Amino acid sequence: MTPRRRVITAVGAVAIIVAAVLVLRATDDASKKPSSEAVRLTKYTADFVKVSSQPARPSPPSTVWSSDGRVQWTPVDGAAGYEVAGKLVVAPEIAGSGRPEVRAVDAFGQRSSPVRAEERPSDYGWRRTIDGWLDDFDDTFLERRYHLSGRRGCVNPSSGSGGRLVLDMPCGNDTAVLRARTPMQLNESGELGRVAVVTDAAGPRGRLVLDLVPGTPDRLGPIPPPDAIRVVVDDSVAPGTRGAGVLHRFEAVLTDNDVRVMQDGAQIAALPVVPKWREASVLISVTPPASYPGRVEIDAVGFTGGRQPVTDVIETPVVAGTLRVLEPDEEAPSIGIARAPLRAAPSARLRTTVRFGDGGDPNGLVAELGPAKVPLRPEVSGWSTAEDSELTLVGDLPAELLGEAGTHALTPFVLRMPGASQAQVLESYLEIPGQSPAKLENAPAEPPPVLPVMTAEFTAKGPNDVTLVVTLDAAHARSVAPIAGFEVYVDSSLAATVPMPGGVGGRHELLIELKGSHNVEVRLRPEDPGRQTDSVLLELSGS
């Protein structure tokens, strides 16, 4: 080969290598682009669509402060949400401390100028009013102090940082009930007693219920017995700000005349009831927003009364062969429970909670455990047998079911009651003397930001036009994933694009001037290209 041909060959080889490098770089850049660049939309409207005009950017909050583990600020008119240190929320508060900057965000994603928080002293004076039992959840042996009632696998307790009880409820529509094993006792006069709970349970669309009731029921359901005092805090009790995932202190103060409900030291409600008892169990029910994988945190629980010793018990959950309460002579499935927990037990007690149908006699409830039929007695007086009411019952197991001798299993295990009428077994467990070894695991990480829930509807229709209202609601979210905006398609063709760069939500109206019948689709576009696009389909019928 001549020198000239060698040079040509060498140059060709270099060109091939360079081309390969360029192809690799282009491929590499293309693969990175979707995950590294936020989605941005360009405003567009077809000639038959009119979008409300974009206002001036919002004003900043007039005051911002931090105290008691919360950063709070004065609400801003026209704000759809707020940005705090890069985190988006809807309510004018967020869990945190220090001096972060806060910006108001409108429905188009426009930000106000920032305002830095000022720090204020925290209020710990309420702790001095609790002269009885106060729990900061530093001890992770929860079962030694409470019974936790909830669907197994759908109510998962764990220990959060800083000594906090975390209840994860991934099924999306559950309630967890804590019954303190220590009872509440009343004073003779004046302020008879006080219950305090520091929790985020009463946030948007969540619910906190405090039940004070004689006896030791595990749950009361929607119809409490007549002697119970029930305090409910949810969206209907609105005089205080409650952001999603933000802790607040709720107190029920019992007096000679009424029960006063307090939030962070300020009264938000009053109930014209006076306790008829001197001692009661304290039940704390928490419910996260419905249809949303829930998480509730409880930071502290306290109530007045003398410190009393609590009998140590070990709980062993047991599942009946059928969750339907059977009639006395109805055939039972051949399903039982293991007898292992009873072999070394000096005594044992069965506790069960039943939800009634439209009838039945609780006085006739028995548990069939293998060869034994154990009578069950209600844990509260004056119970209701109305439909959907719930009742906890207990029964002491006979000596022949204890000890080393005997079979490995007790079959069948069912509940029976005359006139059962579709009564359901909600939970059952054995109480055996001893100190519970069950210890809480560490809590999972804070849930990631979520997208607003989008709704779209036609609110007004004329002969030649219709008003489309698009609402993006994230009030239930602890933090919001930013959105790029939304698009409107009419008969599969793009009709409007509404940009909301880094938006948190809000309400938008679009006037669509069309005749006849059409298919309309609204697509939510997240700022993160890796998130799935949500959409709402509507039908526009012609006149």
Side-chain angles (χ1 to χ4, degrees), residues 259-335:
V259 176
R260 297 166 191 172
V261 184
M262 318 289 285
Q263 177 179 320
D264 302 320
Q267 183 171 321
I268 59 174
L271 308 174
V273 294
V274 178
K276 300 177 181 179
W277 37 262
R278 307 306 304 171
E279 183 176 286
S281 287
V282 177
L283 275 66
I284 303 162
S285 305
V286 295
T287 307
S291 302
Y292 175 70
R295 178 183 174 112
V296 170
E297 299 185 5
I298 303 177
D299 191 60
V301 171
F303 46 84
T304 53
R307 294 179 178 270
Q308 303 179 52
V310 177
T311 302
D312 287 330
V313 293
I314 299 172
E315 294 183 357
T316 302
V318 290
V319 180
T322 172
L323 297 183
R324 184 172 64 86
V325 178
L326 303 180
E327 295 283 352
D329 298 325
E330 192 172 350
E331 184 177 355
S334 299
I335 301 173

Side-chain angles (χ1 to χ4, degrees), residues 323-521:
L323 297 183
R324 184 172 64 86
V325 178
L326 303 180
E327 295 283 352
D329 298 325
E330 192 172 350
E331 184 177 355
S334 299
I335 301 173
I337 62 172
R339 207 174 63 83
L342 304 176
R343 292 188 178 279
S347 63
R349 175 175 290 176
L350 174 68
R351 292 179 62 96
T352 185
T353 299
V354 174
R355 177 181 293 145
F356 288 90
D358 56 1
D361 180 12
N363 292 302
L365 260 164
V366 298
E368 184 177 353
L369 278 164
K373 290 191 176 180
V374 181
L376 301 175
R377 58 187 182 274
E379 267 298 280
V380 294
S381 60
W383 65 86
S384 170
T385 57
E387 189 170 357
D388 291 333
S389 63
E390 297 173 7
L391 179 65
T392 299
L393 305 103
V394 298
D396 297 314
L397 270 58
E400 59 264 28
L401 299 185
L402 309 176
E404 292 293 339
T407 60
H408 294 290
L410 296 172
T411 303
F413 169 40
V414 293
L415 267 61
R416 297 184 181 276
M417 177 179 67
S421 188
Q422 303 303 312
Q424 298 288 318
V425 183
L426 297 181
E427 71 168 341
S428 300
Y429 61 98
L430 298 173
E431 280 189 341
I432 297 172
Q435 193 172 63
S436 172
K439 187 175 182 179
L440 296 179
E441 297 181 355
N442 291 332
E446 179 82 9
V450 299
L451 290 170
V453 175
M454 182 175 68
T455 57
E457 58 181 344
F458 298 125
T459 60
K461 184 178 179 182
N464 300 317
D465 57 41
V466 65
T467 299
L468 172 65
V469 175
V470 178
T471 304
L472 301 167
D473 181 11
H476 63 287
R478 290 169 171 261
S479 62
V480 185
I483 55 180
F486 64 90
E487 298 167 328
V488 179
Y489 289 81
V490 175
D491 299 329
S492 301
S493 296
L494 182 64
T497 299
V498 180
M500 303 166 58
V504 66
R507 184 179 185 274
H508 296 262
E509 289 190 4
L510 295 85
L511 182 65
I512 302 177
E513 298 175 331
L514 285 176
K515 295 181 180 180
S517 299
H518 302 273
N519 294 319
V520 178
E521 180 185 6

